[in-house]
Amino acid sequence: MESSRRKFLKIAGLSVLGVGAKPVLDSLVQAGEPTYATDQEALEGTHWAMVVDMKKCRDDCRDCITACHRGHNVPEINNAKHEIKWIWNEDFKHAFPTQEHEHLAERLERQPFMVLCNHCDNPPCVRVCPTQATFKRKEDGVVMMDFHRCIGCRFCMAACPYGSRSFNWFNPRNYLDDTNPDFPTRAKGVVEKCNFCAERLAIGKIPLCVEACKEKALVFGDLDDPNSEVRKILRERFSIRRKPGLGTGPNIFYVI
């Protein structure tokens, strides 16, 4: 990571001296997208999505958040300005500001909504990243982060309309009581977010949050498969998405 950062700063310095912006970025991203080894047991899908059934989701339950953050070494920083979030709760009016109104059902007004990266069809975070540290996988639509390429510019945070990205202002390793050795820890100065448990999909497992949900409120599946559970739910039940008018195409659906 430090090598990548030094390389960027060196190239950025050349840019200030008069070298054009495009050659600078071409130099930085010439290695192309990272590749990931997959197992023969890897889950197969071409358009991963998630359904959150809010009629099953319990207000006092944090099982999905705990499982995700523990499995991904997400530090617990008790400061709202500096906290790191992969999954968190929002109230309805902040999660769905364009659908909030004065006659909203009381249940929806008080119920916390579990939110995360929407793994958008048209992710603005990907378009603005100067190093391709954030990218969308062509094979299944998952929006990924390559921590080693992140230079901490936070353009992706400014572009994301859902606040789904967190910046490590401090060394996150100092805020971990236990560490999962199967997932990398991060460093100060990088952005991070939910990765749809890409590391688990590669070995045939569903995301941790879905596995941890005892109420079966979370369903993960392939939108391109008409026989998948997510497609069945979306055919039969009314669902909403966060800020659909922005045209990003969120792939998290909420059944209310």
Side-chain angles (χ1 to χ4, degrees):
M1 183 181 301
E2 291 304 317
S3 175
S4 298
R5 193 184 305 275
R6 285 195 298 271
K7 184 176 180 181
F8 175 81
L9 293 173
K10 181 178 179 180
I11 295 172
L14 291 175
S15 180
V16 170
L17 291 174
V19 180
K22 187 174 186 304
V24 169
L25 296 183
D26 286 348
S27 299
L28 199 60
V29 303
Q30 60 187 349
E33 292 182 357
T35 57
Y36 296 84
T38 55
D39 192 273
Q40 289 184 339
E41 301 298 322
L43 294 185
E44 295 184 0
T46 54
H47 193 164
W48 293 122
M50 185 180 292
V51 172
V52 183
D53 188 342
M54 294 307 299
K55 292 186 176 179
K56 293 182 178 178
C57 194
R58 291 191 355 244
D59 294 1
D60 60 343
C61 180
R62 289 178 54 88
D63 288 350
C64 58
I65 299 173
T66 301
C68 170
H69 285 193
R70 184 176 296 162
H72 295 109
N73 296 320
V74 177
E76 294 291 336
I77 301 177
N78 297 319
N79 182 328
K81 293 182 179 178
H82 301 142
E83 65 180 336
I84 306 297
K85 303 178 297 186
W86 282 38
I87 301 180
W88 71 103
N89 286 326
E90 287 279 9
D91 56 22
F92 186 90
K93 67 180 181 181
H94 289 110
F96 305 96
T98 59
Q99 302 182 62
E100 198 261 347
H101 59 79
E102 62 195 81
H103 303 297
L104 190 69
E106 185 179 343
R107 176 181 65 84
L108 296 179
E109 281 190 313
R110 62 172 174 74
Q111 188 172 17
F113 280 70
M114 185 277 282
V115 296
L116 65 163
C117 170
N118 285 281
H119 295 277
C120 301
D121 289 337
N122 183 27
C125 55
V126 171
R127 292 199 301 274
V128 301
C129 180
T131 65
Q132 293 185 3
T134 186
F135 59 96
K136 181 181 176 183
R137 296 202 304 199
K138 296 181 178 67
E139 64 269 28
D140 60 9
V142 176
V143 177
M144 297 286 291
M145 271 291 303
D146 183 342
F147 303 123
H148 298 280
R149 285 185 169 185
C150 180
I151 56 172
C153 67
R154 292 178 286 152
F155 289 174
C156 60
M157 295 179 69
C160 176
Y162 309 105
S164 298
R165 293 166 171 267
S166 301
F167 182 69
N168 285 287
W169 293 97
F170 310 104
N171 183 351
R173 294 159 186 157
N174 294 336
Y175 296 87
L176 293 171
D177 292 330
D178 298 309
T179 303
N180 174 14
D182 296 327
F183 197 83
T185 56
R186 276 71 73 190
K188 178 182 177 181
V190 302
V191 174
E192 57 178 281
K193 71 172 196 70
C194 156
N195 67 347
F196 251 179
C197 279
E199 78 283 0
R200 288 172 59 87
L201 303 180
I203 56 174
K205 295 183 178 181
I206 59 176
L208 276 168
C209 57
V210 180
E211 184 178 84
C213 182
K214 299 182 184 67
E215 308 300 327
K216 307 299 181 188
L218 308 182
V219 179
F220 183 78
D222 186 1
L223 273 184
D224 285 343
D225 178 1
N227 298 314
S228 67
E229 185 65 15
V230 290
R231 284 287 297 274
K232 179 182 177 183
I233 295 172
L234 295 177
R235 272 198 304 269
E236 298 175 352
R237 310 262 313 267
F238 175 72
S239 63
I240 59 176
R241 292 187 289 178
R242 299 186 66 193
K243 303 179 182 178
L246 297 180
T248 64
N251 283 303
I252 309 297
F253 298 82
Y254 295 85
V255 174
I256 59 173

